Amino acid sequence: MNLITMEHLTKSYTERLLFDDTSFSLNEGEKVGLIGINGTGKSTLLRIAAGLEEPDEGTVVRGRSLDIRFLSQTPEFKEGETVLEAVLRENEGHEHVWDLEAQAKATLNRLGILDHEAKVDTLSGGQRKRVALASVLLSAADILVLDEPTNHLDSEMADWLEEYLRKFKGALLMVTHDRYFLDSVTNRIVELDKGKLYSYQANYEGFLELKAERMDMTLASERKRQSILRVELEWMQRGARARSTKQKGHIQRYEALRDQKGPEFDKQVELESISSRLGRTTVEVKDLSKSYGDKVLMKDFTYIFLKDDRIGIIGPNGAGKSTLMKMIAGWVEPDAGTVEIGQTVKLGYFSQENEEMDLSKRVIDYIRDVAEYVKTKDGSVSASQMLERFLFPSSVQYTTIGKLSGGERRRLYLLRILMDAPNVLMLDEPTNDLDIQTLTILEDYLDSFQGIVITVSHDRYFLDRVVRRIFAFEGNGNVTQYEGGFTDYQAACERKLAEAAEDGAGGQAVQNGKAVQGGTGNKNGKEGAGEGERTQDARNSWRQDAPKKLKFSFKEQKEWETIEEEIAALEERLSELDSEMEAAASSYSRLQELMTEKEEKEGLLEAKMDRWVYLNDLAEQIAAQKG
């Protein structure tokens, strides 16, 4: 059953076209993950689906009596209300209202909100987001629309939410950049790309494979277009047999083919290694201790960071992870112990909250304040060029920061830090609000970064991809070292649990980790290779096989009389296919069928055009002989 249908959706924000005559639907029982580059309109689509915003053009139809609950990136509450009051107020119509308070408290506890009488106004941004998430999850909604639900959740909370949403019986539409979470929860991925929505009936791992196939088919179609265009050009240069209306139509089709835009692909966020030389003394912490009131965050923590360290810091929210980062950066004083920073160390600290940004400042001036040029392995690169590589084209560079989305501001903030050429890079929750493409390129960049990387993250995929050593905050001031990434850490915890169980000592349950997704498929990677050579060989073959007597055979005469009509019919069908493909952009299976037919028709057209060139050549020679 179809719950939400959007057709011919068009929406602009300032000078940006977010949706370009595209379509989307959500069916009963579907769990859809929406992905795309920051600033392209993902949150806007969620708000339109939830009925909180209207498109500029197009229609949105929702099923009757649908209960839709929306989780915003930055939820708002009534001034002065408590945590429990906020949750209860937003669920007054709950079918089990008699048990609602108990459920609310249990859900809040699961999400680390233990003081139910605390004023919402006094909470941090992450805590407010978790209160709003608890409220949404308690609802009896038919559809949950969630914008970044995993932000500000620790690993245990993310595991719990993952299991909750897998069992949720309603429909789900969400934006998240947690790739393990997408892989586990979703059964359909919808990608927002250049104003169009592309649907893939798969989880995240399946999406990677299917998108690779779609890109291969797109490239193959473009190669076919270029090949046909070469033959058409030869036809044009030879001149038509007669200046009939039919020939004029052929010329118009050639011009349309010539002017057709090729496929556009996203630029990559190219992060070349920018760092300063790191001397012998790096960062050394000795007997570090820190408490807030009765809560002991760490005691006697000692570690000497090595030149190529990749350290991941994990633990529950509020355990002290960010506090450790701030003590290393010199933002917070320890209660005891020392932090020694080497003379050659240049810290780059990507904190959870962006530094104070002047929203009236132009994007390029924000970067130029750090450096006009930076040195990379490829030479000096200007601030403008670095912005281009970070997906800030020239049209955006001279606009104000206030016009950027939240994710784009995070990306800009990261660039500013890297422009300063740090050799110790400290990343506090870098995966919050960065899109998957940026995260992927950041991960590749960190592989070659010449320095130390220290990161606090709850993103299990990111930790498995980047770090080689884990420091786990385990309570009561204990910070324990584990070798490997997050999955290795979980395996080590499970071994400890099993050993403790054998000894009769018990232990804390640890949930199973998630397997890293495999590589993407690429069925058509070699398709189309050498097409130009094959085309030329075919022409040569036909020309060599031409009758020695300069006259048409009976078959050739019949073929010459009908070939232009056949070419016109194929061109007309290709034009129809282009229209049908545009209308089917949201259905991957239908799109694949149409692309297969288009490839077949383009092959036939190319062969017909090659044959026309041969027959036209022969006809001209016959005419010349008669003359």
Side-chain angles (χ1 to χ4, degrees), residues 65-83:
S65 304
L66 277 181
D67 185 1
I68 304 175
R69 285 296 301 271
F70 175 66
L71 175 69
S72 169
Q73 278 196 41
T74 53
E76 298 180 358
F77 300 90
K78 285 189 175 180
E79 187 176 350
E81 66 183 349
T82 67
V83 166

Side-chain angles (χ1 to χ4, degrees), residues 3 21 67 113 206 214 219 262 339 358 393 492 497 538:
L3 302 179
D21 191 20
D67 185 1
I113 307 296
R214 180 170 77 84
L219 287 170
V339 178
D358 181 353
L497 179 63

Side-chain angles (χ1 to χ4, degrees), residues 207-273:
F207 153 75
L208 292 175
E209 296 177 359
L210 292 173
K211 182 176 180 179
E213 291 180 11
R214 180 170 77 84
M215 291 296 99
D216 286 342
M217 285 191 290
T218 301
L219 287 170
S221 294
E222 174 61 10
R223 288 194 296 268
K224 287 284 186 183
R225 185 180 76 89
Q226 292 294 340
S227 180
I228 293 170
L229 191 57
R230 285 194 297 271
V231 178
E232 287 272 17
L233 180 59
E234 185 171 342
W235 182 90
M236 289 291 294
Q237 289 172 340
R238 285 176 174 271
R241 183 172 46 155
R243 295 300 174 186
S244 64
T245 304
K246 195 178 301 178
Q247 294 299 334
K248 290 177 183 177
H250 196 131
I251 292 170
Q252 290 172 350
R253 286 190 293 272
Y254 159 74
E255 291 173 344
L257 187 68
R258 178 199 63 196
D259 297 337
Q260 180 182 325
K261 288 185 178 180
E264 295 181 23
F265 297 98
D266 294 326
K267 295 178 182 177
Q268 295 294 303
V269 183
E270 299 172 7
L271 298 176
E272 296 168 348
S273 184

Side-chain angles (χ1 to χ4, degrees), residues 296-312:
V296 179
L297 300 182
M298 71 197 76
K299 54 187 177 184
D300 301 327
F301 175 68
T302 298
Y303 185 75
I304 299 174
F305 289 87
L306 305 176
K307 285 188 177 181
D308 62 346
D309 260 345
R310 299 291 187 270
I311 304 294

Side-chain angles (χ1 to χ4, degrees), residues 81-97:
E81 66 183 349
T82 67
V83 166
L84 188 58
E85 287 171 347
V87 174
L88 295 178
R89 174 180 56 79
E90 294 183 346
N91 289 283
E92 290 174 348
H94 197 287
E95 58 182 333
H96 299 301
V97 67

